[in-house]
Amino acid sequence: MTLPPVPTNASNVAGIDTAVPAPSQNPELDRPAPGPQLQDRLAGWVSDLTTLHELTDRLVRTTSVAEALDEVLRAGAALVGARRGMVVLEAADGPGTTVGLGLSHGDLGRIETVPRAATACGRVLDALAAAPAGSAVPAGCQPDLFADPHLDPRHREVATALGYAAAYAVPLAAGDERLGAVAWLYDEPAEPGERARHLTGLYCDAAAHHLARTAAQDRALDFAAALREELLPSRLPRVSGVQLAARHRTGPRGGGDWYDALPLPEGALGLAVGSVTGSGPGAVAAMGRLRASLRAYAVMEGEDPVAVLSDLELLLRLTEPARSATALFAYVEPGTRRCVVAGAGHVPPMIIGERRAEFVETTVSAPLGMLSCWEAPSVIAEPASGETLLLCTDGLLRRTGEPVDRAYARLHTAAASVPRAARHDPGAVCDHILRSLLPDGTDAVDSDEDVVLLAARFR
């Protein structure tokens, strides 16, 4: 086979045009290197972003408004180069909050005597109140107080007494929510540069959103705590032959653990503890409904704890189908020290005395709301004179961070080690068990679990 002749003009092969220069092997090497000024600017941007990331990372780790305000003051002082500062949060439904950095309560009180419109912080606050929703409010700056011929006399007096000569204030606003303002004070005439102002503005914008979220969480927790205190018994009843004590600790987000002690007909006493799944206001409301219902059932048929819990389970299944709950109810006859106990998925009670510390062997049962129909037999416990019947929720065991079997073993050890001098006081028994299981305190453990202990000592 004869091959076709090769064209003499190789540039026409495969569409190659020799008029177009061939690209270099590495185009990046042909670009001119950035100049020193551009390199410095890029290095400055990287440094600013790194600083801003570190400061905001520290800010978002704060879990309360007080911690966040302290962090905002310290971070802003480092950005603008000031030594002291103050932040003012204004609340529409109550008194505001003022926190200082390097300023005592007396110093803050002096500054509050200055007319609001005369200070940089006050001017920003007034601008926030007057500006339309969503509009930006500029920062306020007083670079040299004593050089201002129109400086308010009272402001001059306070600034001289406290030893500051300049101020810089930034608004705190999260969208349409106007929170307040933060100001930093300089010992000498000064003002932050453009770069520092920009970084401070970005940081305070992030801080305002974090403060708004944290304040909303704090309000929800305060509301849930107040509601829980109203729903739980304000004081335990006085019943002949029995001495009562209770300890209740709430988790960070608020939970649904509860307890109750109520006098029943014929001199009897009803003791109950329980826990509703979930946390927050919803769990607190469900807990209140269950506790109120159990009180009604206990008055009507308290001598039969199984019937009480069966009625409670039916109510929970009909009114709270998405929730489950554990509960333990004891019908106590103080005169004979006879206790009829029924439990639904709950920690069994304990009897603590001079010669023993043991669990009452209740029947293993599922929590309320887990089965189509709950029913389990009750058991009878008969503490001796001087012994204590202890009821607790499983939050106490979970807060230890131990597996279930080890947590039970620690609870038994703690109950057995109650000092002899403390066994006559049910409150001292509860305190000893809390210290033994949670030596760092109930607030030092990172857990959302509530803790409830209810103790009844028989005379």
Side-chain angles (χ1 to χ4, degrees):
M1 181 177 64
T2 305
L3 297 176
V6 178
T8 56
N9 186 1
S11 63
N12 292 328
V13 178
I16 297 177
D17 186 1
T18 56
V20 179
S24 61
Q25 295 296 325
N26 192 348
E28 298 294 335
L29 297 178
D30 296 336
R31 295 181 181 177
Q37 292 183 350
L38 182 57
Q39 290 181 343
D40 292 344
R41 183 175 299 179
L42 291 174
W45 288 344
V46 171
S47 176
D48 291 347
L49 290 175
T50 302
T51 300
L52 193 61
H53 171 74
E54 292 175 351
L55 293 178
T56 52
D57 183 64
R58 283 165 45 185
L59 174 66
V60 298
R61 294 177 186 273
T62 58
T63 57
S64 67
V65 172
E67 292 179 2
L69 292 178
D70 183 69
E71 181 61 33
V72 168
L73 284 171
R74 295 181 183 278
L79 289 173
V80 302
R83 186 172 62 90
R84 292 177 289 178
M86 59 181 291
V87 58
V88 179
L89 295 185
E90 295 193 325
D93 55 350
T97 301
T98 303
V99 178
L101 172 66
L103 298 170
S104 65
H105 289 291
D107 297 338
L108 294 174
R110 283 190 174 187
I111 295 176
E112 289 178 352
T113 64
V114 178
R116 179 159 162 157
T119 65
C121 186
R123 292 172 184 173
V124 171
L125 291 172
D126 289 341
L128 281 172
S135 61
V137 173
C141 185
Q142 293 176 311
D144 191 348
L145 290 173
F146 301 110
D148 183 2
H150 304 292
L151 182 65
D152 183 86
R154 179 56 184 167
H155 195 186
R156 181 184 300 274
E157 179 184 348
V158 171
T160 302
L162 299 184
Y164 67 89
Y168 181 70
V170 179
L172 293 174
D176 294 339
E177 186 174 0
R178 308 301 177 86
L179 302 178
V182 56
W184 293 274
L185 307 178
Y186 295 89
D187 297 339
E188 302 291 339
E191 61 179 310
E194 180 180 357
R195 177 178 170 185
R197 292 184 186 219
H198 180 65
L199 283 179
T200 305
L202 293 176
Y203 177 80
C204 287
D205 182 65
H209 286 81
H210 177 71
L211 284 169
R213 291 191 298 268
T214 306
Q217 293 173 359
D218 286 353
R219 287 193 296 270
L221 290 179
D222 291 341
F223 173 77
L227 182 61
R228 184 183 296 104
E229 292 302 322
E230 291 296 325
L231 293 174
L232 293 176
S234 57
R235 57 183 177 180
L236 297 173
R238 292 186 178 183
V239 179
S240 177
V242 179
Q243 186 180 1
L244 300 174
R247 298 292 184 268
H248 181 213
R249 301 292 184 270
T250 305
R253 292 188 297 178
D257 286 17
W258 52 274
Y259 67 94
D260 204 354
L262 67 156
L264 297 176
E266 300 180 359
L269 175 68
L271 300 177
V273 292
S275 176
V276 178
T277 56
S279 60
V284 174
M287 174 267 288
R289 290 190 290 268
L290 283 184
R291 175 179 171 268
S293 301
L294 186 141
R295 290 176 70 91
Y297 299 147
V299 170
M300 293 185 295
E301 49 193 7
E303 67 279 0
D304 186 358
V306 172
V308 172
L309 293 187
S310 296
D311 292 343
L312 193 66
E313 192 275 337
L314 178 60
L315 177 72
L316 180 69
R317 187 153 42 89
L318 293 177
T319 61
E320 304 279 349
R323 292 188 186 274
S324 63
T326 62
L328 188 145
F329 180 73
Y331 177 80
V332 178
E333 298 174 349
T336 61
R337 298 188 297 277
R338 181 174 179 268
C339 306
V340 185
V341 182
H346 207 78
V347 179
M350 293 192 71
I351 295 179
I352 304 171
E354 294 286 342
R355 296 179 177 84
R356 63 171 175 169
E358 60 186 28
F359 290 99
V360 177
E361 295 184 3
T362 57
T363 304
V364 177
S365 171
L368 303 176
M370 298 292 289
L371 302 177
S372 59
C373 181
W374 178 91
E375 186 171 349
S378 59
V379 298
I380 297 177
E382 296 180 333
S385 177
E387 291 186 330
T388 298
L389 180 69
L390 178 71
L391 285 67
C392 66
T393 59
D394 55 3
L396 175 64
L397 303 179
R398 293 179 180 176
R399 280 212 179 195
T400 64
E402 302 279 2
V404 176
D405 54 344
R406 293 186 61 182
Y408 271 103
R410 287 187 58 185
L411 175 58
H412 181 271
T413 302
S417 64
V418 175
R420 184 182 297 248
R423 293 186 180 182
H424 69 280
D425 182 2
V429 171
C430 294
D431 293 336
H432 174 81
I433 291 175
L434 282 175
R435 287 194 301 267
S436 300
L437 266 67
L438 307 175
D440 295 331
T442 55
D443 296 330
V445 182
D446 185 14
S447 174
D448 292 334
E449 299 290 339
D450 288 4
V451 174
V452 169
L453 289 90
L454 178 61
R457 179 182 181 272
F458 295 86
R459 295 188 176 94

